[in-house]
Amino acid sequence: MASAAPIILWFREDLRLADNPALSWAAGTGRLVICLYIRETGSGAPRAHGGASNWWLDKSLKALGDSLEALGGRLVLRTGEAGEVIRGIARESGADAVVWNRRYGQPERDADAALKDRLKALGLDCRSFNGRLLVEPWELKTGAGGWYRVFTPFWKALQANYSCPAYLPPPKRLETVKVQSEELGGWGLHPTRPDWSSGLAESWTPGEAGAAARLDAFLDGPVDGYSSNRNRPDLADSTSALSPHLRFGEISPVTIWRRTTALAEAGRINEASARVFLSEIAWREFSYTLLYFNPDLATENYNPSFDAMPWQKNADALRAWQRGMTGYPIVDAGMRQLWHTGWMHNRVRMIVASFLTKHLLLPWQAGEAWFWDTLVDADPASNPASWQWTAGSGADAAPYFRVFNPITQGQKFDETGEYVRRWCPELAKVPLKFLHAPFEADGATLARAGVDLGVTYPKPIIDHSTGRERALGAYQSLKEKQASS
Ligand code: FAD
């Protein structure tokens, strides 16, 4: 006879009801479901969220809890070592099955495997699903049977092999048993003293409904211009801004793939732009492959020859970069957008990351850590993979000699100047010709624009050519060391 005992559904990085394989399986049994989120402690816990992500998590859990209540269920919140929490709830409730969607960091994988063994030994049924990726890291293999280290063949293989599963609708009802829960407010995820989150609140609607609205809005127009506009931070909606929703699993990449391809096949959106958009989703997948096969991606150079890189130590320069006070407007605009909204446009992320690791010759780990704390989409795979890509130490990385020129990058991609004017308002009146290099303007022009360099806006903390030459010299020294070793 089928069991009538409750099932524990452990929500992790999948804070949604639709296209959620673990939830769909649990609800499909018709049994009572205990929906659980654990604030994990112990060695198997994932990398602790930074401040901006904690802000997001707070709102996302609230939204998920509300959605579950509307179905007759409830989100149970607990703190502790996951295995202990789950065994405790199973004892209290008589649950005899536990389900979750998989994660890909090494500590979480090890902890999950150990937990599965422990639960099975106690007689509990334990199942896990793919609820986070299109393809799991071990699924796509090169001709030689290995994993892809280069993006383009990975993307080709993904397109050739991926077939999108059928839609998994949210359950219509979700009955549960009463189990004690902690209070979300007691977790202190929302910042206080000071509460710096007003810019985040203005910019985002965390939760599954917010994610769905973003996707709808993007597919209803902006996607058509994606291939030509996606590098333009000065244009509204040039990208989807789905990243924090994906990070917290409020939307599945499967949903995005299915909706986008269906619209493209029906001729309702531009096919070429849709492909480019999906190729960016594939960069996220590729990053997860890198994390899976390189568990130390956030701390260790993927390319070990970078261990000999002569990185500088310069707390003042790091602080100027973090605060958006480098004297290069496109860099400063990006860092201030990040501070205010918890997000930064991809093109600008590349520019600020290049500036930190090349012009300032500061270690990519310092930038990765700052982004981890301040991004609402701070992702354990995409953040380190992208930092290493920019620094040159990563897989399929930007070549070491590509040192972005922050002046010409600004002129090219913030062509209207709207982006810099918005985030560096003290430069708003500088004519476009000098907006991306105010230090090249004559005194009268600056005076007319109300800019007093070094007073109202910083002078460049490093001269572009000097920084560029020093970076090239450092990379050259690496190559020489490599050649002689
Ligand atoms: P869109 O252009 O609309 O793309 C759709 C989705 O594809 C994104 O939401 C994201 O999930 C994925 N995606 C797009 N570009 C990339 C990329 N290069 N690598 C991986 N996935 C991508 N992205 C994160 O999600 N979290 C991070 O912590 C993160 N850190 C980054 C750090 C640096 C230094 C750089 C250069 C990039 C980083 N990215 C990160 C990648 C990228 O900048 C963001 O995913 C993108 O800007 C999010 O905006 P969007 O949702 O509008 O993207």
Side-chain angles (χ1 to χ4, degrees):
M1 204 181 85
S3 167
I7 296 174
I8 299 174
L9 166 63
W10 181 14
F11 278 102
R12 297 147 25 128
E13 296 181 323
D14 51 351
L15 307 181
R16 65 175 184 277
L17 304 186
D19 266 328
N20 184 328
L23 169 62
S24 180
W25 184 86
T29 62
R31 289 156 58 185
L32 301 174
V33 181
I34 299 167
C35 296
L36 171 68
Y37 184 88
I38 306 174
R39 187 166 54 145
E40 288 170 79
T41 58
S43 60
R47 186 174 175 187
H49 287 299
S53 296
N54 269 332
W55 175 87
W56 191 287
L57 178 65
D58 185 50
K59 279 72 201 156
S60 195
L61 288 174
K62 169 83 174 71
L64 179 66
D66 290 349
S67 305
L68 289 170
E69 278 177 27
L71 298 178
R74 181 160 173 258
L75 185 61
V76 174
L77 303 175
R78 290 282 180 97
T79 303
E81 193 270 321
E84 292 304 314
V85 170
I86 289 174
R87 283 195 304 170
I89 293 185
R91 265 197 309 271
E92 281 168 45
S93 65
D96 71 354
V98 186
V99 291
W100 63 70
N101 291 310
R102 287 187 281 276
R103 298 187 290 204
Y104 304 93
Q106 189 76 56
E108 299 97 304
R109 276 157 53 200
D110 291 347
D112 284 359
L115 178 60
K116 257 191 186 175
D117 289 346
R118 273 160 73 192
L119 293 175
K120 281 184 178 162
L122 292 171
L124 275 83
D125 180 16
C126 205
R127 292 168 195 243
S128 68
F129 299 82
N130 170 15
R132 186 151 186 81
L133 297 172
L134 301 171
V135 287
E136 295 189 286
W138 54 88
E139 288 185 289
L140 271 192
K141 291 205 176 77
T142 63
W147 50 277
Y148 285 96
R149 289 162 168 81
V150 180
F151 176 72
T152 304
F154 174 89
W155 171 224
K156 280 194 185 139
L158 178 68
Q159 292 176 92
N161 293 295
Y162 182 61
S163 75
C164 197
Y167 177 58
L168 299 173
K172 292 203 170 64
R173 287 286 302 161
L174 206 64
E175 306 287 343
T176 189
V177 253
K178 199 156 171 47
V179 169
Q180 208 191 338
S181 172
E182 294 168 18
E183 289 295 322
L184 183 58
W187 281 9
L189 298 173
H190 187 92
T192 51
R193 287 184 284 166
D195 181 351
W196 40 260
S197 67
S198 64
L200 274 58
E202 282 161 22
S203 314
W204 303 100
T205 310
E208 187 170 11
R214 277 268 174 193
L215 180 63
D216 287 348
F218 182 67
L219 292 178
D220 187 22
V223 68
D224 286 328
Y226 185 77
S227 61
S228 45
N229 295 341
R230 70 191 184 89
N231 275 310
R232 293 283 303 276
D234 57 334
L235 301 179
D237 301 327
S238 62
T239 66
S240 71
L242 281 165
S243 51
H245 300 290
L246 278 162
R247 163 66 180 106
F248 287 89
E250 298 167 354
I251 191 164
S252 163
V254 174
T255 312
I256 298 176
W257 184 281
R258 191 189 302 111
R259 291 270 314 276
T260 307
T261 48
L263 289 171
E265 277 161 19
R268 289 174 53 200
I269 60 174
N270 180 291
E271 160 106 53
S273 255
R275 269 293 124 196
V276 179
F277 175 55
L278 293 178
S279 77
E280 296 303 323
I281 300 286
W283 270 102
R284 175 176 176 275
E285 302 276 319
F286 183 57
S287 301
Y288 272 90
T289 295
L290 295 177
L291 175 68
Y292 184 84
F293 290 105
N294 303 274
D296 295 332
L297 196 64
T299 49
E300 303 299 321
N301 291 308
Y302 171 89
N303 173 352
S305 74
F306 271 68
D307 293 351
M309 187 74 174
W311 298 117
Q312 305 288 298
K313 272 200 181 127
N314 187 334
D316 290 343
L318 179 62
R319 191 137 189 81
W321 177 83
Q322 290 171 335
R323 293 177 151 205
M325 296 293 277
T326 67
Y328 287 95
I330 190 74
V331 175
D332 295 340
M335 298 308 292
R336 295 181 198 185
Q337 180 184 29
L338 173 61
W339 186 248
H340 189 78
T341 68
W343 185 88
M344 193 194 302
H345 188 280
N346 179 59
R347 168 57 51 178
V348 192
R349 292 188 201 203
M350 292 195 286
I351 298 170
V352 304
S354 170
F355 188 82
L356 185 84
T357 55
K358 296 181 180 175
H359 285 84
L360 301 180
L361 213 56
L362 293 175
W364 60 262
Q365 289 92 337
E368 201 274 344
W370 182 252
F371 270 33
W372 183 261
D373 194 30
T374 54
L375 276 173
V376 285
D377 65 22
D379 186 276
S382 301
N383 197 41
S386 303
W387 271 97
Q388 296 226 40
W389 183 90
T390 317
S393 63
D396 199 6
Y400 76 93
F401 50 80
R402 190 198 284 177
V403 180
F404 279 152
N405 176 333
I407 305 164
T408 53
Q409 287 281 313
Q411 289 163 340
K412 187 166 171 198
F413 296 110
D414 178 26
E415 175 187 312
T416 60
E418 292 284 319
Y419 184 73
V420 161
R421 288 188 211 287
R422 165 144 195 226
W423 295 109
C424 300
E426 68 272 45
L427 299 175
K429 295 200 177 100
V430 175
L432 189 55
K433 185 174 172 210
F434 296 111
L435 186 61
H436 291 285
F439 43 86
E440 286 176 359
D442 56 86
T445 304
L446 288 177
R448 272 197 303 279
V451 175
D452 185 356
L453 270 193
V455 179
T456 61
Y457 181 73
K459 293 179 179 166
I461 58 170
I462 186 162
D463 168 63
H464 164 59
S465 309
T466 312
R468 182 172 187 279
E469 291 313 314
R470 184 176 62 169
L472 292 178
Y475 284 104
Q476 188 58 34
S477 76
L478 268 195
K479 277 176 68 182
E480 283 160 14
K481 273 189 203 139
Q482 223 177 344
S484 66
S485 65

